[in-house]
Amino acid sequence: MKTPQVHHSFSLFALFLLVIVLGSSCKKTTTPTATSVTIPVVTTADVIINVTSTTAQSGGVVTSSGDDVIAANGVCYSTTNKTPTVADSKTSDIVNTSIANFNFISNLTGLTANTTYYVRAYATNSAGTGYGSVIQFTTGTSSSPLVATVSTFAGSGTAGYLDATGLNAKFNNPEGLTADANGNIFVSDSYNSYIRQISLGGSVTTVAGNGTIGYMDATTASLAEFYSPQGLAFDSKGNLYIADYGNNVIRKITTVGVVSTFAGNGVQGYVDASNAANAEFNGPGGIAFDAQDNMYVADRGNNLIRKITSAGVVSTFAGKTTAPTAGYANATGTSAAFNAPNGVAVDKNGNIYVADEGNSAIRKITSAGVVTTIAGGPSLPDLLNYPAAIAVDKQGNFFILDEGGRVLEYTTANVLYTLAGSLNSPGLVNGPGSAAKFNNPQGIAVDANGNIFVADKNNNCIREITVTAGP
């Protein structure tokens, strides 16, 4: 079973340091001559953080200092100049360093409500000023654009097993979540070795499992056995699939309650196969389907993203396959590297998003297998506080859950908002925004109405988050 991790706290404002550049080369130790100095190379952070009517956060990475000390850096921005320069409005985040690949944050204040801004990172040395690419965003009409309210949907907060309604029900370390087409929520009740269902009215029932840790398929779901079930997902036909973490297999529950093994032979290992029954996994976590019913698996122990076709062909979609497999590299297919990926989600265009927990990053994989980072990175290990799960709504917005106790939204406009939770302050507290508290949350799902559900593992309950526009 996965052991909860303990992480260090960090500044919330550091969240937006979303572009991490690999391949830093060694810098010269001798004093550079004037002719060796070049203009700095800068990358603008792709994501804007917590945009309000008058404020926002941006920043970037200086990928090359040009063999000189950076005298000034920050972001420049304008409402009229689509390629802003330091002659326009700018922030100054002076670091006076010649180290390559350093990140910086910039707080933009005094902005005008409901206005489009063009922003890009800059860095200046004695040779001149280098600029990153231009990012566009629009300020809101409210000082609080999104208001999230957290409540307890089901579970008493005490570990146990009881089918009941709402707060009278009991769970034991719930981890995985998904929603069906009718709005019912399904839960991997991990330490109870059950799959549970919560109706729209909050009634909790048991879908599959006999409560015994084990590995048994069955024609009657109540006779089946699981071992620390985690990720859940439905295919287009309404069949439910489970990442059976402890058994190293993917299980399937049909619409009539037949439990079978979809992929894996139960042996912990790494084997791709044309017949899914011969494949091997190592602690599979999150799972998700694309529109063609291909399944993507966060094969946590192997540090890989695996693909299983509807015909049962298992292959490696992305991630390093040679030892050591754990790492961090943005590349294509097996040239890329992950570190304990734990959650996956697929957007309507077939892009796969990975909660790359060990790298504290959210990664994107195109349908062609090209891997990039859209949030976080290992050089700043606490930025996303080890993201455990990710889910997508029907509009294409992503919801990220980190183990530090926060729920974040990454919108289609490339804006990242912290919706709820307080970093590294565990508890069971309902309420608005940062006043709410979670305790090692592990699973997240979004229903068709945009309501967000969280498997609050150490609180042994399922929380609900409703999001409305700000005043």
Side-chain angles (χ1 to χ4, degrees), residues 7 384-386 400-408 418 420-427 433-434 436-441 454 456:
H7 311 297
L384 287 176
N385 214 127
Y386 298 86
I400 303 163
L401 183 69
D402 75 20
E403 289 188 346
R406 293 171 305 173
V407 178
L408 305 103
T418 300
S422 181
L423 181 63
N424 292 332
S425 181
S434 60
K437 292 184 179 182
F438 302 87
N439 192 350
N440 191 28
V454 172
D456 196 358

Side-chain angles (χ1 to χ4, degrees), residues 207-209 216-226 251-261:
V207 172
M216 182 183 295
D217 290 333
T219 56
T220 302
S222 61
L223 300 178
E225 294 177 0
F226 303 89
R251 312 288 288 278
K252 174 182 177 180
I253 307 176
T254 69
T255 56
V256 295
V258 176
V259 179
S260 61
T261 299

Side-chain angles (χ1 to χ4, degrees), residues 69-89:
V69 172
I70 299 297
N73 64 276
V75 297
C76 48
Y77 55 99
S78 173
T79 60
T80 56
N81 185 359
K82 294 185 178 181
T83 54
T85 70
V86 291
D88 296 299
S89 298

